[in-house]
Amino acid sequence: MTEAMAARRSRITPERQAELHEAVLDLLRDVGYEALTMDAVAARTKSSKATLYRQWGSKPELVAKALRCTQPVSLREIDTGSLRGDIALMVEHSDDAQMAKDTALMRGLAHAVHTSPELHKALRDLLVDPEINGLQAMLQRAVDRGEIRPDCPALNFVPHMLIGAFIALPLIEDRPVDRAFLGQFVDAVVFPALGV
């Protein structure tokens, strides 16, 4: 990206950016991904389509970044000195109301991901991969400290277990994941699988 492009992209204040992201998420909840248009976002946020495209590039990138802004803290930033402490802090930073909203949004985006390679790539690049990388860094620190055996067969499946919990609970019990469930799930499933 050129300096001129970076300067143009940085004109939006963090408060305005948060307002735009929230409007995108509200529209997603209202109409779904397929019906969401840059025109609708521009109208809802009283901004120009040119500004939206200049700042975010495309609808998939805008949606992925809007979802990313709902994450309370990056997993890469969490380092308490123990895996149990790191996971407890991760759960503590989770917001029950936001997780319920995110679960509903992700359920709505599930179909769109299969029909839009651009959305799939944007979600992977901007939302999924950074969190998985942060989780893997957290787990590697636990291995380095001797909390987890380096040859533990469950080590590579922790992201699958956690993502599975977010998918399975609404499907099986018709309710979103909350901190209480997440804490119980980690204690009953993740830690025993890791031998912690």
Side-chain angles (χ1 to χ4, degrees):
M1 178 186 325
T2 67
E3 283 186 41
M5 287 175 67
R8 281 196 309 253
R9 290 186 107 169
S10 64
R11 287 188 192 155
I12 295 179
T13 65
E15 295 79 17
R16 178 67 171 145
Q17 190 169 13
E19 180 184 316
L20 288 163
H21 285 158
E22 190 55 43
V24 169
L25 297 178
D26 286 344
L27 275 168
L28 271 174
R29 289 181 198 105
D30 291 347
V31 303
Y33 180 78
E34 289 82 1
L36 180 103
T37 64
M38 292 301 245
D39 285 323
V41 174
R44 173 85 55 110
T45 61
K46 296 178 177 47
S47 57
S48 72
K49 268 192 347 183
T51 298
L52 296 175
Y53 279 110
R54 186 172 53 245
Q55 187 71 20
W56 288 280
S58 67
K59 178 173 110 171
E61 188 175 335
L62 175 58
V63 167
K65 285 188 176 175
L67 285 165
R68 178 81 189 136
C69 81
T70 67
Q71 304 303 309
V73 66
S74 168
L75 294 183
R76 192 171 286 283
E77 296 170 12
I78 297 175
D79 186 359
T80 65
S82 76
L83 182 62
R84 283 190 179 274
D86 291 350
I87 298 288
L89 190 58
M90 177 187 78
V91 171
E92 182 182 314
H93 279 294
S94 301
D95 178 276
D96 288 347
Q98 190 62 53
M99 281 192 289
K101 289 179 184 178
D102 289 349
T103 299
L105 280 174
M106 294 312 284
R107 193 178 327 159
L109 286 172
H111 175 71
V113 165
H114 293 292
T115 60
S116 171
E118 297 84 12
L119 176 63
H120 183 252
K121 182 176 180 350
L123 289 175
R124 288 286 315 200
D125 292 349
L126 300 170
L127 188 65
V128 176
D129 287 349
E131 290 303 298
I132 289 176
N133 291 339
L135 181 59
Q136 288 170 336
M138 183 187 292
L139 294 168
Q140 185 57 53
R141 286 192 303 269
V143 169
D144 294 344
R145 289 189 298 259
E147 295 174 88
I148 303 172
R149 288 187 349 262
D151 62 344
C152 176
L155 200 53
N156 292 329
F157 297 105
V158 174
H160 303 80
M161 287 187 264
L162 292 173
I163 292 169
F166 278 88
I167 294 168
L169 186 65
L171 185 65
I172 295 169
E173 297 184 27
D174 197 27
R175 66 183 179 101
V177 171
D178 57 20
R179 281 183 292 198
F181 173 81
L182 196 53
Q184 292 168 348
F185 181 82
V186 168
D187 283 339
V189 178
V190 178
F191 287 153
L194 294 172
V196 175

